[in-house]
PDB file of all heavy atoms in Angstrom:
ATOM      1  N   GLN A  94      -9.514  -4.385  17.842  1.00 98.00           N
ATOM      2  CA  GLN A  94     -10.251  -4.861  16.663  1.00 98.00           C
ATOM      3  C   GLN A  94     -10.343  -3.711  15.662  1.00 98.00           C
ATOM      4  O   GLN A  94     -10.168  -2.536  16.026  1.00 98.00           O
ATOM      5  CB  GLN A  94     -11.680  -5.244  17.059  1.00 98.00           C
ATOM      6  CG  GLN A  94     -11.747  -6.380  18.032  1.00 98.00           C
ATOM      7  CD  GLN A  94     -13.190  -6.685  18.436  1.00 98.00           C
ATOM      8  OE1 GLN A  94     -14.104  -5.912  18.146  1.00 98.00           O
ATOM      9  NE2 GLN A  94     -13.379  -7.790  19.118  1.00 98.00           N
ATOM     10  N   VAL A  95     -10.692  -4.081  14.416  1.00 98.00           N
ATOM     11  CA  VAL A  95     -10.893  -3.064  13.398  1.00 98.00           C
ATOM     12  C   VAL A  95     -11.964  -2.075  13.873  1.00 98.00           C
ATOM     13  O   VAL A  95     -12.999  -2.466  14.418  1.00 98.00           O
ATOM     14  CB  VAL A  95     -11.336  -3.715  12.047  1.00 98.00           C
ATOM     15  CG1 VAL A  95     -11.756  -2.654  11.042  1.00 98.00           C
ATOM     16  CG2 VAL A  95     -10.193  -4.570  11.496  1.00 98.00           C
ATOM     17  N   GLY A  96     -11.676  -0.777  13.728  1.00 98.00           N
ATOM     18  CA  GLY A  96     -12.613   0.275  14.153  1.00 98.00           C
ATOM     19  C   GLY A  96     -12.286   0.849  15.527  1.00 98.00           C
ATOM     20  O   GLY A  96     -12.782   1.933  15.878  1.00 98.00           O
ATOM     21  N   ASP A  97     -11.453   0.155  16.296  1.00 98.00           N
ATOM     22  CA  ASP A  97     -11.100   0.688  17.632  1.00 98.00           C
ATOM     23  C   ASP A  97     -10.299   1.977  17.515  1.00 98.00           C
ATOM     24  O   ASP A  97      -9.515   2.152  16.591  1.00 98.00           O
ATOM     25  CB  ASP A  97     -10.238  -0.342  18.404  1.00 98.00           C
ATOM     26  CG  ASP A  97     -11.077  -1.440  19.028  1.00 98.00           C
ATOM     27  OD1 ASP A  97     -12.312  -1.319  19.047  1.00 98.00           O
ATOM     28  OD2 ASP A  97     -10.463  -2.431  19.498  1.00 98.00           O
ATOM     29  N   HIS A  98     -10.497   2.866  18.488  1.00 98.00           N
ATOM     30  CA  HIS A  98      -9.689   4.085  18.585  1.00 98.00           C
ATOM     31  C   HIS A  98      -8.519   3.803  19.521  1.00 98.00           C
ATOM     32  O   HIS A  98      -8.691   3.167  20.570  1.00 98.00           O
ATOM     33  CB  HIS A  98     -10.526   5.242  19.146  1.00 98.00           C
ATOM     34  CG  HIS A  98     -11.524   5.749  18.149  1.00 98.00           C
ATOM     35  ND1 HIS A  98     -12.111   7.004  18.249  1.00 98.00           N
ATOM     36  CD2 HIS A  98     -12.049   5.173  17.036  1.00 98.00           C
ATOM     37  CE1 HIS A  98     -12.949   7.176  17.239  1.00 98.00           C
ATOM     38  NE2 HIS A  98     -12.929   6.088  16.493  1.00 98.00           N
ATOM     39  N   VAL A  99      -7.358   4.265  19.124  1.00 98.00           N
ATOM     40  CA  VAL A  99      -6.151   3.927  19.897  1.00 98.00           C
ATOM     41  C   VAL A  99      -5.245   5.138  20.079  1.00 98.00           C
ATOM     42  O   VAL A  99      -5.184   6.048  19.245  1.00 98.00           O
ATOM     43  CB  VAL A  99      -5.328   2.785  19.237  1.00 98.00           C
ATOM     44  CG1 VAL A  99      -6.044   1.451  19.419  1.00 98.00           C
ATOM     45  CG2 VAL A  99      -5.070   3.072  17.783  1.00 98.00           C
ATOM     46  N   VAL A 100      -4.529   5.123  21.213  1.00 98.00           N
ATOM     47  CA  VAL A 100      -3.408   6.031  21.466  1.00 98.00           C
ATOM     48  C   VAL A 100      -2.152   5.192  21.338  1.00 98.00           C
ATOM     49  O   VAL A 100      -2.131   4.018  21.745  1.00 98.00           O
ATOM     50  CB  VAL A 100      -3.495   6.610  22.911  1.00 98.00           C
ATOM     51  CG1 VAL A 100      -2.222   7.363  23.291  1.00 98.00           C
ATOM     52  CG2 VAL A 100      -4.692   7.528  23.025  1.00 98.00           C
ATOM     53  N   TYR A 101      -1.086   5.761  20.777  1.00 98.00           N
ATOM     54  CA  TYR A 101       0.161   4.995  20.663  1.00 98.00           C
ATOM     55  C   TYR A 101       1.011   5.251  21.905  1.00 98.00           C
ATOM     56  O   TYR A 101       0.949   6.302  22.507  1.00 98.00           O
ATOM     57  CB  TYR A 101       0.938   5.441  19.401  1.00 98.00           C
ATOM     58  CG  TYR A 101       0.027   5.550  18.200  1.00 98.00           C
ATOM     59  CD1 TYR A 101      -0.003   6.713  17.429  1.00 98.00           C
ATOM     60  CD2 TYR A 101      -0.837   4.510  17.883  1.00 98.00           C
ATOM     61  CE1 TYR A 101      -0.875   6.813  16.343  1.00 98.00           C
ATOM     62  CE2 TYR A 101      -1.714   4.622  16.823  1.00 98.00           C
ATOM     63  CZ  TYR A 101      -1.726   5.774  16.046  1.00 98.00           C
ATOM     64  OH  TYR A 101      -2.610   5.884  15.000  1.00 98.00           O
ATOM     65  N   SER A 102       1.769   4.224  22.226  1.00 97.00           N
ATOM     66  CA  SER A 102       2.691   4.347  23.349  1.00 97.00           C
ATOM     67  C   SER A 102       4.096   4.284  22.796  1.00 97.00           C
ATOM     68  O   SER A 102       4.427   3.326  22.094  1.00 97.00           O
ATOM     69  CB  SER A 102       2.454   3.178  24.329  1.00 97.00           C
ATOM     70  OG  SER A 102       3.423   3.211  25.343  1.00 97.00           O
ATOM     71  N   PHE A 103       4.930   5.289  23.087  1.00 96.00           N
ATOM     72  CA  PHE A 103       6.241   5.298  22.427  1.00 96.00           C
ATOM     73  C   PHE A 103       7.190   4.255  22.970  1.00 96.00           C
ATOM     74  O   PHE A 103       8.210   3.939  22.368  1.00 96.00           O
ATOM     75  CB  PHE A 103       6.868   6.713  22.406  1.00 96.00           C
ATOM     76  CG  PHE A 103       7.689   7.115  23.585  1.00 96.00           C
ATOM     77  CD1 PHE A 103       9.045   6.842  23.623  1.00 96.00           C
ATOM     78  CD2 PHE A 103       7.130   7.843  24.622  1.00 96.00           C
ATOM     79  CE1 PHE A 103       9.848   7.251  24.688  1.00 96.00           C
ATOM     80  CE2 PHE A 103       7.906   8.237  25.704  1.00 96.00           C
ATOM     81  CZ  PHE A 103       9.256   7.956  25.748  1.00 96.00           C
ATOM     82  N   ILE A 104       6.848   3.648  24.089  1.00 95.00           N
ATOM     83  CA  ILE A 104       7.490   2.419  24.536  1.00 95.00           C
ATOM     84  C   ILE A 104       6.398   1.358  24.523  1.00 95.00           C
ATOM     85  O   ILE A 104       5.351   1.535  25.156  1.00 95.00           O
ATOM     86  CB  ILE A 104       8.027   2.562  25.982  1.00 95.00           C
ATOM     87  CG1 ILE A 104       8.971   3.760  26.123  1.00 95.00           C
ATOM     88  CG2 ILE A 104       8.696   1.266  26.436  1.00 95.00           C
ATOM     89  CD1 ILE A 104      10.383   3.558  25.669  1.00 95.00           C
ATOM     90  N   PRO A 105       6.626   0.238  23.857  1.00 95.00           N
ATOM     91  CA  PRO A 105       5.582  -0.810  23.862  1.00 95.00           C
ATOM     92  C   PRO A 105       5.465  -1.412  25.257  1.00 95.00           C
ATOM     93  O   PRO A 105       6.362  -1.251  26.087  1.00 95.00           O
ATOM     94  CB  PRO A 105       6.133  -1.859  22.883  1.00 95.00           C
ATOM     95  CG  PRO A 105       7.378  -1.305  22.286  1.00 95.00           C
ATOM     96  CD  PRO A 105       7.819  -0.158  23.110  1.00 95.00           C
ATOM     97  N   SER A 106       4.373  -2.104  25.521  1.00 96.00           N
ATOM     98  CA  SER A 106       4.259  -2.846  26.776  1.00 96.00           C
ATOM     99  C   SER A 106       3.768  -4.238  26.465  1.00 96.00           C
ATOM    100  O   SER A 106       2.640  -4.417  26.021  1.00 96.00           O
ATOM    101  CB  SER A 106       3.338  -2.132  27.765  1.00 96.00           C
ATOM    102  OG  SER A 106       2.079  -1.901  27.192  1.00 96.00           O
ATOM    103  N   CYS A 107       4.647  -5.233  26.692  1.00 96.00           N
ATOM    104  CA  CYS A 107       4.291  -6.621  26.377  1.00 96.00           C
ATOM    105  C   CYS A 107       3.415  -7.215  27.481  1.00 96.00           C
ATOM    106  O   CYS A 107       2.611  -8.085  27.233  1.00 96.00           O
ATOM    107  CB  CYS A 107       5.539  -7.481  26.163  1.00 96.00           C
ATOM    108  SG  CYS A 107       6.444  -7.864  27.679  1.00 96.00           S
ATOM    109  N   GLY A 108       3.614  -6.746  28.706  1.00 96.00           N
ATOM    110  CA  GLY A 108       2.815  -7.228  29.825  1.00 96.00           C
ATOM    111  C   GLY A 108       3.446  -8.408  30.566  1.00 96.00           C
ATOM    112  O   GLY A 108       3.047  -8.713  31.685  1.00 96.00           O
ATOM    113  N   THR A 109       4.428  -9.057  29.943  1.00 97.00           N
ATOM    114  CA  THR A 109       4.953 -10.264  30.575  1.00 97.00           C
ATOM    115  C   THR A 109       6.467 -10.252  30.822  1.00 97.00           C
ATOM    116  O   THR A 109       6.983 -11.145  31.477  1.00 97.00           O
ATOM    117  CB  THR A 109       4.618 -11.520  29.731  1.00 97.00           C
ATOM    118  OG1 THR A 109       5.094 -11.292  28.400  1.00 97.00           O
ATOM    119  CG2 THR A 109       3.132 -11.804  29.715  1.00 97.00           C
ATOM    120  N   CYS A 110       7.194  -9.298  30.258  1.00 97.00           N
ATOM    121  CA  CYS A 110       8.643  -9.276  30.539  1.00 97.00           C
ATOM    122  C   CYS A 110       8.843  -8.910  32.023  1.00 97.00           C
ATOM    123  O   CYS A 110       7.929  -8.489  32.720  1.00 97.00           O
ATOM    124  CB  CYS A 110       9.368  -8.305  29.606  1.00 97.00           C
ATOM    125  SG  CYS A 110       9.154  -6.550  30.013  1.00 97.00           S
ATOM    126  N   ARG A 111      10.070  -9.072  32.463  1.00 97.00           N
ATOM    127  CA  ARG A 111      10.379  -8.806  33.867  1.00 97.00           C
ATOM    128  C   ARG A 111       9.956  -7.401  34.295  1.00 97.00           C
ATOM    129  O   ARG A 111       9.459  -7.170  35.399  1.00 97.00           O
ATOM    130  CB  ARG A 111      11.879  -9.009  34.040  1.00 97.00           C
ATOM    131  CG  ARG A 111      12.424  -8.637  35.367  1.00 97.00           C
ATOM    132  CD  ARG A 111      13.934  -8.821  35.372  1.00 97.00           C
ATOM    133  NE  ARG A 111      14.521  -8.015  36.422  1.00 97.00           N
ATOM    134  CZ  ARG A 111      15.726  -7.467  36.353  1.00 97.00           C
ATOM    135  NH1 ARG A 111      16.455  -7.630  35.273  1.00 97.00           N
ATOM    136  NH2 ARG A 111      16.189  -6.758  37.348  1.00 97.00           N
TER     137      ARG A 111
END
Side-chain angles (χ1 to χ4, degrees):
Q94 297 177 349
V95 171
D97 280 350
H98 288 200
V99 287
V100 170
Y101 315 128
S102 174
F103 88 88
I104 305 279
S106 55
C107 74
T109 54
C110 75
R111 174 183 159 212

